[in-house]
Amino acid sequence: KRLDSIQKDVPLEYNEAVQEQIETYLSSGREDISHEIGLSKYYFPIYEKAFRDAGIPDEIKYLSIVESQLNPNAVSRVGAAGPWQFMSTTARLYGLQMDNYIDERRDPVQSSIAAAAYLKDAYQQFGDWLLAIASYNCGKSEVLVAIDKAGVSDFWAIRQYLPAQTRDYVPAYIAITYVMNYYKKHHILPQECNIVWKTDTVMVDKFISLSSVSRVLGVSLSQLTILNPSYTQAIINGSPASPKVLVIPQYAKEKYSAMYNQLNTDLGSADFQPFDISAKSYESVEKRIPVHHKVRKFENLASARENSRISKG
């Protein structure tokens, strides 16, 4: 009844497989859920806008929890990165930029736009949101093979023909959708997260380090790296031809003039000491993942996902 009451465009069927995933989240995953509820206050509005603009159901935003636990710096063992866990080849196909300074797979805005584009492509191909979600895990070609074997285009009918991890992936999505809507019923309290909810953006057309921005605005470097996770060395590599977006806390508005002066001052090399955000973040993500939590198996599918996605069926 609870799943029925929150069902919108994506079918939220209740069965034994879904119940098993719900129990996993509500037992070994309670602390993670508490953390993710706190993070969702910042990330979900970003996802919702990207999905709304692409015509994607709002409720698919919960899939990012299955993928990355809402961690923009999450990196799988095979190199999938960001909140939507894109492999590099697939990321480039969907317009994400990667170089020595930036990895837009980690950008909540850009990666959500790319994820929405992929899911829209998959839905147009399969005509079913659960099949589109399944393809996000194992790839479109695996879904097509399963449909061919089953002779029907229905996730629950083809489930037995999908890779083992994908069989649990869609139930995990339904389970996390349930938990994120009914966590209060299970006495889970949101965890306060060290992140600024209200932000502004500044276009930067030159190289500037986040540490220098931190000094000028009086904002901690850690806060700036949280708001700007795509700059992997904490250096914004802007140029007049390709300006880059800098996200800053809204309360820093009164220091815009100082920021403007900083952006128009030649900075010495001391400002550009590489800072590997990804390495530190990856270590923390690995420590948070319980080895018995079935959902985390999906990180190992990224290579298969990439091969299947880029084939477009």
Side-chain angles (χ1 to χ4, degrees):
K1 289 181 180 179
R2 289 177 182 175
L3 281 172
D4 286 345
S5 70
I6 62 173
Q7 182 168 299
K8 298 177 183 177
D9 294 315
V10 181
L12 302 176
E13 184 168 334
Y14 176 76
N15 54 37
E16 185 177 344
V18 172
Q19 178 61 38
E20 182 180 349
Q21 294 296 327
I22 290 174
E23 290 174 354
T24 298
Y25 280 121
L26 294 179
S27 56
S28 60
R30 292 179 68 88
E31 183 177 349
D32 287 340
I33 294 298
S34 178
H35 182 71
E36 289 146 12
I37 295 167
L39 290 174
S40 70
K41 295 178 183 178
Y42 178 78
Y43 291 111
F44 277 2
I46 295 173
Y47 299 171
E48 289 161 5
K49 183 181 187 308
F51 284 12
R52 184 169 59 249
D53 290 347
I56 302 298
D58 170 272
E59 60 268 34
I60 299 183
K61 64 192 177 189
Y62 300 114
L63 193 62
S64 179
I65 299 178
V66 181
E67 286 288 333
S68 68
Q69 297 181 311
L70 299 184
N71 184 348
N73 293 312
V75 179
S76 77
R77 293 178 180 84
V78 293
W84 292 99
Q85 290 290 282
F86 276 100
M87 292 294 288
S88 58
T89 302
T90 311
R92 289 191 173 91
L93 283 176
Y94 282 91
L96 298 179
Q97 180 184 353
M98 287 161 286
D99 57 33
N100 291 334
Y101 293 96
I102 192 169
D103 185 346
E104 287 187 337
R105 294 178 298 173
R106 303 170 188 269
D107 185 312
V109 175
Q110 297 304 321
S111 65
S112 295
I113 293 172
Y118 175 87
L119 288 162
K120 186 172 185 177
D121 286 348
Y123 180 74
Q124 289 175 342
Q125 180 171 353
F126 298 118
D128 183 286
W129 285 118
L130 291 186
L131 293 180
I133 290 170
S135 77
Y136 199 87
N137 179 249
C138 67
K140 297 171 187 172
S141 63
E142 290 282 359
V143 173
L144 287 172
V145 168
I147 290 174
D148 185 62
K149 289 180 178 179
V152 293
S153 297
D154 174 80
F155 171 77
W156 299 106
I158 73 169
R159 182 172 179 248
Q160 61 181 314
Y161 301 110
L162 291 168
Q165 296 90 338
T166 310
R167 296 173 205 165
D168 288 337
Y169 184 78
V170 170
Y173 161 73
I174 296 174
I176 197 61
T177 300
Y178 167 83
V179 173
M180 291 298 287
N181 280 276
Y182 290 107
Y183 61 87
K184 292 180 181 178
K185 296 284 187 182
H186 298 277
H187 311 292
I188 298 176
L189 299 176
Q191 179 180 325
E192 291 298 324
C193 299
N194 181 30
I195 192 167
V196 176
W197 310 122
K198 295 183 178 181
T199 61
D200 284 316
T201 58
V202 177
M203 299 305 296
V204 178
D205 63 0
K206 66 188 304 179
F207 274 60
I208 185 171
S209 67
L210 290 181
S211 60
S212 64
V213 175
S214 170
R215 291 194 301 271
V216 171
L217 296 183
V219 177
S220 71
L221 179 58
S222 63
Q223 190 62 250
L224 285 177
T225 57
I226 290 172
L227 296 177
N228 299 275
S230 61
Y231 299 111
T232 56
Q233 297 190 54
I235 296 172
I236 304 171
N237 60 325
S239 70
S242 180
K244 295 295 190 294
V245 174
L246 168 65
V247 182
I248 61 175
Q250 203 171 72
Y251 63 75
K253 277 184 175 180
E254 66 274 11
K255 297 184 179 179
Y256 274 7
S257 59
M259 180 71 181
Y260 178 83
N261 291 334
Q262 184 71 32
L263 291 174
N264 287 277
T265 300
D266 290 331
L267 300 176
S269 59
D271 280 83
F272 297 99
Q273 298 301 316
F275 176 76
D276 189 352
I277 297 173
S278 59
K280 295 177 181 295
S281 300
Y282 176 66
E283 181 181 2
S284 64
V285 170
E286 288 294 295
K287 288 180 179 178
R288 285 187 60 231
I289 298 173
V291 295
H292 56 277
H293 190 176
K294 294 183 180 179
V295 175
R296 303 318 302 167
K297 291 180 181 177
F298 302 142
E299 291 186 345
N300 296 326
L301 290 178
S303 58
R305 180 194 310 157
E306 177 188 24
N307 294 333
S308 302
R309 286 185 191 174
I310 62 176
S311 69
K312 291 185 178 292

